[in-house]
Amino acid sequence: MPLINMPEFSGRLLDEFAGRGAARIDTPVIQPAAPFLDMAGEDLRRRIFLTESERGESLCLRPEFTIPVCLRHIETATGTPRRYCYLGEVFRQRRDGDNEFYQAGIEDLGEKNVASADARAVTDAVEIIASLLPGRALTITLGDQTVFEAVVRSLGLPLGWQKRLIQAFGNTALLKQLLLTLATPQPVAGLSLELADLLRKDEAALIDHIDRTMQDTGYSTNASRSPREIAARLTEKLALAETRLDGGALLLLSEFLSLELPLSEAAAALAGFADAAGLSFGHALGEFEARVAALQDLGMDPSRITYRAAFGRPLDYYTGLVFEVTQKESDAVLVGGGRFDRLLTLLGAVDDIPAVGFSLWLDRIEQARAR
């Protein structure tokens, strides 16, 4: 039996989902922990309630629905496109609110018209919230990880640094810390002079040195990495530590991250930024413009939506569009979502499956309705 009551508007939500062509899917409360630990990101990882099976398999209480829905889709070998909806309890540690609460949402899997699917996800999320909170002033915030990745890749940074910055997208404090590190690189701590010299000069001697050290310490019998792999990791670590981004590039990235304006003006602003900086966004800008046009086709006014270049959501599997809806003058997220095109392949799908979705925080909506 649930420890908390299902919100009284739950039946109404399920009717909304059905009217939007989404079939309800149920997933077990007990889930394999590995997909969440590997793919959901640090913010969610530290909030998960973990346990273990009798066979030693790492399990967890369901902390969110996107990964379980995708796993179920793969298991049932259902064709695409498919639109699923869900409503049920999730379990994760929160700074405010209960650790057990209800979420509901829609996952759109396999729709190849990305702009149309993105626009439908945003429009459905906003319309559902507006129906549950009639007359309330809402704030809609939109970001785009693809555009951010295009800017990062244009800076000519090593792949390791690109990955770090992309993974930090949406975490303002971490991004600032990484930019500070790029402005003032620090030496790698704990490296002996001999090891540092080998890292810079002689790969074969470095591998031999690591191998001898592992043999001498008895570590080699239990090592999960070979001397060659350890040498490659140390070399990458040194290269990342010694990377310095020049002042002009840092200013460029900081200027991009400061962009915040109505979505109706965002595409032109991004094009102007790219021209002034001598950058190419490639297909990212075209996809951005197509999404804005698709939103307009569905009756959404882009001037009501705020585009913020630094805006992201704290889940590592997002790949493009990210968005959230709050009440004005409130930070409490009522609905959040985004695109996760790589997730199903990482979970074991044979074919690439484009995907986008959103999740409603029912306890927060319930509190807002009560007020």
Side-chain angles (χ1 to χ4, degrees):
M1 292 290 291
L3 299 178
I4 56 173
N5 292 324
M6 188 179 289
E8 51 83 19
F9 55 85
S10 298
R12 181 173 164 188
L13 260 183
L14 292 175
D15 290 341
E16 288 271 10
F17 294 158
R20 287 169 163 78
R24 188 174 182 184
I25 187 171
D26 292 315
T27 63
V29 168
I30 303 295
Q31 291 282 325
F36 300 97
L37 297 174
D38 293 343
M39 300 170 202
E42 181 60 33
D43 185 73
L44 185 60
R45 276 195 294 269
R46 62 174 180 262
R47 301 176 190 273
I48 292 175
F49 292 103
L50 291 166
T51 186
E52 198 172 86
S53 72
E54 290 183 352
R55 299 186 301 275
E57 179 190 9
S58 184
L59 303 171
C60 68
L61 293 175
R62 182 177 59 208
E64 57 103 63
F65 271 96
T66 298
I67 287 175
V69 168
C70 290
L71 286 170
R72 178 57 63 86
H73 174 80
I74 294 167
E75 289 167 4
T76 55
T78 309
T80 57
R82 289 281 292 179
R83 204 164 206 227
Y84 297 108
C85 68
Y86 57 83
L87 190 155
E89 292 163 287
V90 293
F91 307 81
R92 64 186 192 235
Q93 299 177 65
R94 293 198 291 178
R95 297 183 189 92
D96 58 339
D98 295 327
N99 295 329
E100 173 189 3
F101 53 99
Y102 280 93
Q103 283 195 330
I106 291 178
E107 308 293 4
D108 226 326
L109 309 185
E111 174 54 63
K112 296 189 184 302
N113 188 330
V114 169
S116 175
D118 283 358
R120 182 165 66 165
V122 175
T123 303
D124 282 353
V126 172
E127 288 179 351
I128 290 170
I129 287 291
S131 73
L132 295 173
L133 298 171
R136 307 290 180 92
L138 301 175
T139 297
I140 310 162
T141 306
L142 183 146
D144 192 319
Q145 182 157 329
T146 305
V147 172
F148 176 70
E149 289 181 13
V151 174
V152 168
R153 290 184 176 126
S154 71
L155 298 177
L157 288 165
L159 288 176
W161 261 114
Q162 292 183 30
K163 185 177 178 182
R164 282 188 189 184
L165 290 170
I166 290 166
Q167 285 182 332
F169 180 63
N171 186 331
T172 303
L174 181 56
L175 265 179
K176 284 183 178 178
Q177 179 184 333
L178 291 174
L179 292 180
L180 182 62
T181 302
L182 277 170
T184 55
Q186 301 295 319
V188 177
L191 282 183
S192 67
L193 290 175
E194 179 186 10
L195 194 57
D197 189 54
L198 289 172
L199 275 167
R200 291 184 174 88
K201 294 181 180 177
D202 193 333
E203 182 185 12
L206 172 65
I207 293 170
D208 183 61
H209 173 80
I210 293 170
D211 189 30
R212 280 186 283 106
T213 302
M214 291 170 71
Q215 297 283 352
D216 292 344
T217 58
Y219 180 71
S220 59
T221 56
N222 298 313
S224 59
R225 290 180 178 175
S226 68
R228 183 175 295 279
E229 289 171 325
I230 294 171
R233 182 71 188 94
L234 283 171
T235 303
E236 181 190 32
K237 191 173 182 180
L238 182 66
L240 294 178
E242 292 183 339
T243 299
R244 183 185 184 115
L245 198 57
D246 68 70
L250 275 171
L251 185 63
L252 186 73
L253 188 52
S254 298
E255 182 182 342
F256 169 77
L257 291 170
S258 70
L259 288 174
E260 183 171 344
L261 67 168
L263 184 62
S264 54
E265 303 169 17
L270 288 170
F273 172 83
D275 287 343
L279 302 179
S280 172
F281 286 153
H283 62 84
L285 188 56
E287 291 176 353
F288 190 98
E289 292 171 333
R291 184 192 301 128
V292 176
L295 281 165
Q296 289 177 307
D297 289 343
L298 290 176
M300 286 290 289
D301 180 359
S303 66
R304 288 183 53 214
I305 302 172
T306 297
Y307 167 70
R308 184 148 54 88
F311 174 73
R313 304 197 69 241
L315 288 168
D316 280 0
Y317 51 64
Y318 284 126
T319 56
L321 163 79
V322 281
F323 70 96
E324 286 181 351
V325 181
T326 64
Q327 285 193 95
K328 281 197 170 163
E329 314 303 329
S330 172
D331 294 329
V333 177
L334 302 176
V335 58
R339 177 156 289 278
F340 45 97
D341 287 340
R342 292 190 289 264
L343 181 58
L344 281 105
T345 305
L346 292 172
L347 291 172
V350 176
D351 301 315
D352 291 336
I353 299 176
V356 66
F358 62 88
S359 182
L360 299 133
W361 298 68
L362 303 195
D363 60 333
R364 296 173 181 171
I365 296 170
E366 190 172 38
Q367 291 163 13
R369 283 166 62 90
R371 290 195 294 270

